[in-house]
Amino acid sequence: MYQPMTIGNHIVPVPIVQGGMGVGISLEKLASAVARCGGVGILSAAQIGYREEDYEEHPLQANLSAVGKYIKKAKEMAGGKGMIGINIMVATRYYEEYVKAAVRAEADLIVSGAGLPVNLPEFTKETNVKIAPIVSSVKAANVILKMWDKKYNTTADMVVIEGPEAGGHLGFKKEEVSTCSREDYSNEIKKIIEVIKEYGEKYAKKIAVVAGGGIYTREDAHNMMELGVDGIQVATRFVTTKECDADMAYKESYLRASKQDIVIIDSPVGMPGRAINNSFLKELKMKKQPVSKCYQCIKGCNGKDNPYCISKALVNAVKGNVEEGLIFCGAGAYKADKIETVEEVIQDLLKGM
């Protein structure tokens, strides 16, 4: 039987964290549904305001307003069950403002990856907001926990270990994604767990260890839990649920995808990413897509020098214009064969534990 998971002073009955998926794939409907089942529902801050009336003219203001709006809405819809958090990428332009907006909205948890969230504790100290870095290596875990220890005299409430089979942007070099086996990465997970234990012992607290990346089936979930983690992060499996916030055309692209359709791309963000091959990606091989407007999404973006605008591509996809959009996914997306409910997914993943 699986055990409840402790994150700070929260007892989470179901040890499943729904991965934050942007743009707009995991918003209030999906996150609250996972929380109502006793798990941790995570919104994505990436262009979270794309549905707001002022998004085109004032994307930053629309996004910051939407952070508070959707956190509060998701918490209301969750009815006090589970936890509601938000994923904020370190690579996000105006990262500090997004974190502060999430703190003001009283998010239960902030999960942060796509870079090392070195200053995250600065914005959450003396609040009830729990913090969780995403790491993909022992080195990253050591760096961030050591820095938080020395600079802020604190440590994480949860650590997410994200493997090379995850969806969206990946914390690996492109060649590592295809060469790192599950067995190799299992050993890395065990080493990361030991690092986290050291800091848990130092601060006399339980740091929840959650691992994800390629968890789609019940067997995947069981195998991951057997490595000694406290919970699992699942994202791709939740895309093809009734409660997922994406357009039905987006969900159907998963149902149609074959294993060969899932490819590794070079993202304008500067990281490799995993996506479903479509007309958009095929045309990119022939020519760049002109970037006519900046949506202020990622630090270091060169705007017009990029091969395409990732914000526009992701917004197109979530709205249902899937052939002119970027469809991120995990390695197991091709296994999707039906639309389920969030409750059915969770029951299936945990069955027999």
Side-chain angles (χ1 to χ4, degrees):
M1 181 66 181
Y2 61 84
Q3 298 296 315
M5 184 168 55
T6 301
I7 303 175
N9 56 354
H10 293 262
I11 304 297
V12 181
V14 173
I16 290 181
V17 176
Q18 162 250 312
M21 296 173 281
V23 168
I25 309 303
S26 59
L27 289 180
E28 76 280 8
K29 289 193 292 184
L30 178 55
S32 65
V34 173
R36 284 196 301 273
C37 290
V40 181
I42 304 289
L43 298 93
S44 168
Q47 302 296 36
I48 190 172
Y50 80 96
R51 298 185 294 195
E52 303 300 299
E53 290 183 2
D54 59 341
Y55 173 71
E56 285 293 327
E57 290 298 318
H58 306 288
L60 176 61
Q61 291 86 339
N63 287 332
L64 293 176
S65 174
V67 166
K69 174 181 175 179
Y70 291 121
I71 288 173
K72 291 175 182 177
K73 197 168 183 179
K75 292 186 79 170
E76 288 172 4
M77 293 170 69
K81 297 181 179 178
M83 291 179 73
I84 293 293
I86 186 165
N87 182 299
I88 306 175
M89 295 188 296
V90 178
T92 301
R93 195 177 293 186
Y94 305 108
Y95 173 77
E96 178 180 334
E97 283 82 353
Y98 280 86
V99 172
K100 288 179 177 178
V103 171
R104 286 194 299 271
E106 299 181 341
D108 294 324
L109 175 71
I110 294 175
V111 180
S112 208
L116 296 178
V118 292
N119 58 347
L120 181 56
E122 181 179 332
F123 311 120
T124 60
K125 60 186 177 183
E126 298 179 5
T127 75
N128 292 320
V129 181
K130 308 309 173 190
I131 54 176
I134 298 176
V135 302
S136 295
S137 66
V138 172
K139 181 180 179 181
N142 264 314
V143 168
I144 193 64
L145 294 180
K146 188 174 184 178
M147 185 167 292
W148 285 4
D149 174 38
K150 286 192 171 184
K151 189 173 181 180
Y152 299 105
N153 193 33
T154 192
T155 193
D157 297 292
M158 179 177 88
V159 175
V160 178
I161 305 171
E162 203 167 90
E165 293 185 38
H169 292 116
L170 305 169
F172 298 85
K173 294 179 181 177
K174 194 170 182 179
E175 59 271 18
E176 292 175 331
V177 175
S178 57
T179 59
C180 183
S181 69
R182 280 197 173 189
E183 183 179 355
D184 290 340
Y185 200 67
S186 293
N187 292 328
E188 188 77 3
I189 290 172
K190 291 176 182 176
K191 292 175 184 176
I192 295 172
I193 291 172
E194 290 306 310
V195 171
I196 296 168
K197 280 183 179 178
E198 290 178 22
Y199 287 91
E201 289 171 0
K202 177 171 182 176
Y203 285 89
K205 66 183 285 187
K206 171 62 181 173
I207 302 174
V209 182
V210 172
I215 298 177
Y216 195 92
T217 67
R218 188 185 310 162
E219 183 182 13
D220 295 331
H222 289 205
N223 289 343
M224 190 65 81
M225 291 295 284
E226 286 175 358
L227 295 177
V229 298
D230 301 296
I232 53 174
Q233 177 181 269
V234 179
T236 293
R237 181 76 183 269
F238 285 120
V239 171
T240 50
T241 59
K242 293 179 181 178
E243 299 92 338
C244 176
D245 295 87
D247 187 270
M248 182 55 73
Y250 191 101
K251 302 174 189 183
E252 289 172 348
S253 67
Y254 276 49
L255 301 181
R256 291 193 303 270
S258 67
K259 191 173 184 178
Q260 290 69 37
D261 290 327
I262 299 173
V263 296
I264 303 299
I265 65 167
D266 292 312
S267 165
V269 174
M271 306 170 85
R274 179 174 278 108
I276 294 175
N277 204 9
N278 60 356
S279 299
F280 174 75
L281 290 179
K282 291 171 184 174
E283 289 173 9
L284 272 179
K285 292 182 179 179
M286 307 296 293
K287 62 178 181 178
K288 295 168 65 173
Q289 300 286 328
V291 179
S292 58
K293 179 181 176 63
C294 177
Y295 290 91
Q296 304 177 44
C297 62
I298 300 297
K299 299 172 186 173
C301 174
N302 294 320
K304 294 181 180 180
D305 294 332
N306 280 335
Y308 65 96
C309 172
I310 191 168
S311 285
K312 185 176 179 181
L314 290 170
V315 169
N316 280 347
V318 72
K319 286 183 173 180
N321 186 5
V322 292
E323 288 306 317
E324 295 183 23
L326 178 59
I327 308 168
F328 275 148
C329 69
Y334 70 93
K335 298 176 184 177
D337 60 4
K338 61 184 175 181
I339 302 295
E340 306 172 274
T341 66
V342 163
E343 185 176 7
E344 288 169 342
V345 169
I346 289 175
Q347 287 179 349
D348 179 59
L349 290 171
L350 298 180
K351 190 174 181 180
M353 276 195 195

